């Protein structure tokens, strides 16, 4: 029998409503600044949504609050904050726990504070983990109300029923889950560091001394060809591969050899398609930062391109060009040619004016090889750090569900 089985074997659990064990408060502070009030830091929705634990360093937004609000909306060690409403029903009830008293800080009216009445009965960190348990999530979903924004009334929050095993069991469960949380946090910090390292080396590898390589414009060494318009309703489950420009932001990285979308062969015959070795550039977006992202198409089959994109034909290594499109130097050049409005956009002439270093094909391959290793480490869901983080999250979720699932014989539905 495993340690976890022993820990939970025959455990006695008392079920209580949330209103019986905590004081719920959602008076909060708004984001306004008034001249007759004191400046304070504001713990907001995102701070709670993104963190398991929060500290004095977490809130960074500065607002003002009256003396009374500062007293009524203070943040003490062991306080738990939840997201009481959201546009998405599954974002309700995310929680974070304060690990210390906060100085000169208050909480936003967009979140709710839970302050435990008796910590000799209920461990704050245990309650914090309970909000991610299957049973509590199910209750929250069932009690949520709304049309465009979902939430629970305070009486409904108070009626949520929670399991309360012995204090010893609660502390043991918290200790086990904390280890998984810490490991995931360490891996995430490592991923952030590697991404910064990746960006640094990418910038350095495309920096050359004067006279070291020849620089030419993209228009001189290649040709930009604009795609042709099709709409999302043209997409089908099987057919000729295509790239809709919105997918360039969400699905495609430095290179691709498989399509995410398809259109009919009849429609494809009327449009323009990139071939293996071409580079696809985004030419339109909501912000200037969206524009210029490129993906090397390495698939054997031609792929149809949307008219908010260009595909680029040249004798350069396609991945070399795609990596170059992610550099600051590249983006600083295209900014001058982007037209801004409701939608920002760039035309072929804007891309053609960009200068690019032209080292030998062997050197291009060497640079690509180095950057491929960083790219795999920081973005691959099959072998890099993201894969490791995903595995640890699944392991954490497995043990969390095991440790936070209790007999519900006396749970009132």
């Amino acid at each position: 029998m495993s340690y976890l089985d022993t820990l939970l074997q025959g455990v006695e659990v008392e079920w209580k409503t949330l209103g019986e064990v905590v004081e719920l408060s959602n008076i909060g502070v708004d984001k306004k600044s008034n001249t007759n009030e004191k400046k304070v830091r504001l713990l907001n929705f995102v701070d709670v949504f993104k963190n398991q634990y929060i500290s004095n360093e977490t809130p960074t937004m500065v607002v003002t609050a009256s003396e009374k609000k500062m007293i009524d909306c203070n943040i003490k060690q062991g306080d738990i904050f939840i997201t009481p409403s959201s546009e998405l029903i599954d974002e309700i009830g995310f929680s974070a726990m304060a690990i210390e008293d906060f100085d000169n800080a208050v909480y936003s009216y967009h979140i709710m504070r839970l302050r435990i009445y008796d910590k000799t009965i209920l461990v704050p960190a245990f309650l914090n983990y309970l909000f991610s348990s299957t049973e509590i999530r199910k209750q929250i979903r069932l009690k949520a109300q709304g049309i465009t924004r979902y939430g629970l009334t305070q009486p409904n929050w108070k009626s949520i029923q929670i399991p309360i095993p012995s204090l010893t069991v609660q502390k043991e469960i918290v200790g086990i889950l904390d280890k998984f949380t810490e490991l995931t946090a360490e891996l995430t910090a490592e991923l952030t560091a590697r991404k910064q390292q990746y960006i640094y080396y990418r910038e350095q590898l495309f920096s050359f001394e004067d006279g070291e390589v020849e620089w030419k414009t993209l228009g001189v060494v290649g040709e930009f060809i604009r795609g042709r318009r099709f709409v999302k309703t043209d997409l089908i489950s099987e057919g000729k591969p295509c790239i809709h420009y919105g997918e360039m932001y969400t699905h495609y990285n430095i290179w691709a050899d498989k399509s995410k979308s398809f259109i009919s062969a009849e429609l494809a015959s009327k449009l323009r398609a990139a071939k293996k070795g071409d580079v696809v550039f985004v030419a339109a977006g909501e912000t200037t930062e969206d524009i210029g992202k490129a993906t090397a198409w390495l698939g054997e089959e031609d792929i149809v391109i949307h008219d908010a994109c260009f595909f680029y034909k040249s004798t350069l290594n396609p991945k070399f060009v795609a990596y170059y499109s992610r550099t600051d130097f590249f983006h600083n050049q295209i900014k001058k040619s982007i037209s801004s409005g409701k939608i920002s956009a760039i035309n072929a002439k804007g891309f053609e004016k960009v200068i690019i270093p032209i080292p030998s094909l062997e050197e291009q391959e060497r640079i690509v090889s180095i950057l491929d290793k960083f790219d795999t480490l920081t973005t691959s869901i099959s072998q890099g750090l993201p894969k490791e983080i995903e595995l640890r999250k699944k392991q954490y979720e497995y043990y969390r569900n095991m440790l936070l699932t209790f007999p519900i014989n006396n749970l009132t539905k």
Side-chain angles (χ1 to χ4, degrees):
M1 183 177 291
S2 72
Y3 168 70
L4 294 183
D5 292 327
T6 303
L7 174 65
L8 298 176
Q9 187 178 33
V11 63
E12 294 185 3
V13 178
E14 183 178 10
W15 288 82
K16 289 182 176 288
T17 64
L18 199 58
E20 290 180 275
V21 293
V22 304
E23 175 195 40
L24 290 85
S25 176
N26 62 350
I27 52 175
V29 173
D30 60 31
K31 297 180 181 180
K32 297 178 181 178
S33 293
N34 300 310
T35 55
N36 60 336
E37 294 179 338
K38 185 178 178 181
K39 286 186 177 181
V40 292
R41 291 173 300 124
L42 185 71
L43 183 74
N44 59 36
F45 185 99
V46 175
D47 295 330
V48 172
F49 187 78
K50 290 188 173 182
N51 294 288
Q52 180 74 27
Y53 293 110
I54 50 178
S55 69
N56 253 301
E57 298 178 355
T58 305
T60 57
M61 182 180 293
V62 176
V63 297
T64 64
S66 66
E67 292 289 342
K68 186 176 188 308
K69 281 280 192 178
M70 291 178 67
I71 294 171
D72 293 342
C73 304
N74 62 6
I75 302 171
K76 298 293 185 181
Q77 182 179 14
D79 284 350
I80 295 166
F81 295 88
I82 61 173
T83 55
S85 63
S86 176
E87 293 176 359
L88 300 176
I89 196 169
D90 288 327
E91 291 183 354
I92 303 170
F94 276 59
S95 67
M97 189 194 86
I99 62 172
E100 59 187 346
D101 291 351
F102 282 31
D103 300 322
N104 195 41
V106 293
Y107 68 91
S108 165
Y109 69 89
H110 287 300
I111 56 180
M112 184 183 293
R113 184 185 68 195
L114 279 57
R115 186 166 283 174
I116 294 172
Y117 290 130
D118 188 350
K119 294 180 183 177
T120 64
I121 295 175
L122 181 59
V123 176
F126 177 75
L127 177 59
N128 189 31
Y129 277 118
L130 278 179
F131 275 100
S132 59
S133 68
T134 301
E135 180 54 49
I136 307 305
R137 299 301 308 164
K138 189 195 312 182
Q139 290 186 65
I140 290 172
R141 220 176 193 289
L142 287 171
K143 295 174 184 290
Q145 300 172 333
I147 299 175
T148 59
R149 188 172 183 86
Y150 301 91
L152 277 69
T153 62
Q154 191 159 122
N156 273 340
W157 279 115
K158 289 182 178 180
S159 70
I160 295 289
Q161 298 194 52
I162 62 170
I164 304 180
S166 71
L167 214 60
T168 300
V169 170
Q170 290 180 48
K171 290 178 180 178
E172 284 289 325
I173 289 173
V174 168
I176 294 168
L177 295 180
D178 275 351
K179 288 179 182 177
F180 284 108
T181 301
E182 290 167 7
L183 178 57
T184 302
E186 289 172 3
L187 287 169
T188 302
E190 174 71 8
L191 177 60
T192 300
R194 293 302 180 203
K195 284 182 176 179
Q196 291 299 319
Q197 189 180 36
Y198 174 21
I199 292 170
Y200 171 80
Y201 279 107
R202 186 179 63 207
E203 298 296 323
Q204 291 299 309
L205 287 167
F206 284 100
S207 299
F208 296 91
E209 299 292 336
D210 290 343
E212 188 177 357
V213 297
E214 188 175 9
W215 290 76
K216 293 183 178 181
T217 64
L218 289 173
V220 167
V221 293
E223 177 187 12
F224 284 92
I225 301 171
R226 187 169 195 149
R228 287 184 174 166
R229 186 166 180 76
F230 59 91
V231 295
K232 286 186 177 180
T233 53
D234 292 322
L235 303 181
I236 57 179
S237 58
E238 293 182 8
K240 292 293 183 180
C242 66
I243 293 180
H244 189 274
Y245 86 100
E247 296 175 315
M248 288 291 289
Y249 306 124
T250 55
H251 294 310
Y252 291 95
N253 191 28
I254 294 299
W255 65 274
D257 59 8
K258 293 180 180 179
S259 176
K260 307 289 183 180
S261 301
F262 304 90
I263 59 175
S264 68
E266 180 183 2
L267 178 58
S269 66
K270 302 173 184 177
L271 305 178
R272 289 172 175 166
K275 297 183 179 297
K276 182 177 182 179
D278 292 343
V279 182
V280 181
F281 282 84
V282 178
E286 294 182 359
T287 68
T288 57
E289 287 73 23
D290 291 336
I291 298 173
K293 179 180 179 181
T295 297
W297 176 247
L298 303 181
E300 296 297 333
E301 191 174 1
D302 294 355
I303 187 164
V304 175
I305 307 299
H306 189 269
D307 73 341
C309 298
F310 288 90
F311 56 97
Y312 180 67
K313 295 181 173 294
S314 76
T315 57
L316 299 172
N317 184 308
K319 291 175 74 172
F320 178 82
V321 176
Y323 277 121
Y324 182 64
S325 77
R326 311 301 172 98
T327 64
D328 289 341
F329 185 58
F330 175 89
H331 279 278
N332 287 336
Q333 292 185 75
I334 66 170
K335 281 180 182 178
K336 303 171 186 176
S337 303
I338 294 174
S339 60
S340 297
K342 187 175 181 181
I343 296 294
S344 298
I346 187 171
N347 58 26
K349 289 183 178 179
F351 278 130
E352 289 169 355
K353 290 189 291 187
V354 173
I355 59 172
I356 183 173
I358 314 291
S360 66
L361 287 174
E362 290 76 16
E363 179 64 9
Q364 292 178 41
E365 179 60 37
R366 186 186 74 86
I367 290 172
V368 165
S369 177
I370 294 171
L371 293 177
D372 275 351
K373 290 182 175 65
F374 279 109
D375 187 62
T376 297
L377 181 64
T378 57
T379 66
S380 175
I381 60 172
S382 61
Q383 52 186 309
L385 280 171
K387 172 67 173 179
E388 182 70 12
I389 291 172
E390 184 63 24
L391 288 173
R392 291 292 171 251
K393 283 182 177 178
K394 287 182 178 178
Q395 189 179 36
Y396 160 71
E397 289 169 1
Y398 171 79
Y399 284 108
R400 181 193 67 200
N401 291 336
M402 176 190 291
L403 291 166
L404 298 178
T405 299
F406 298 96
I408 57 174
N409 297 339
N410 60 335
L411 174 59
T412 303
K413 292 296 185 183

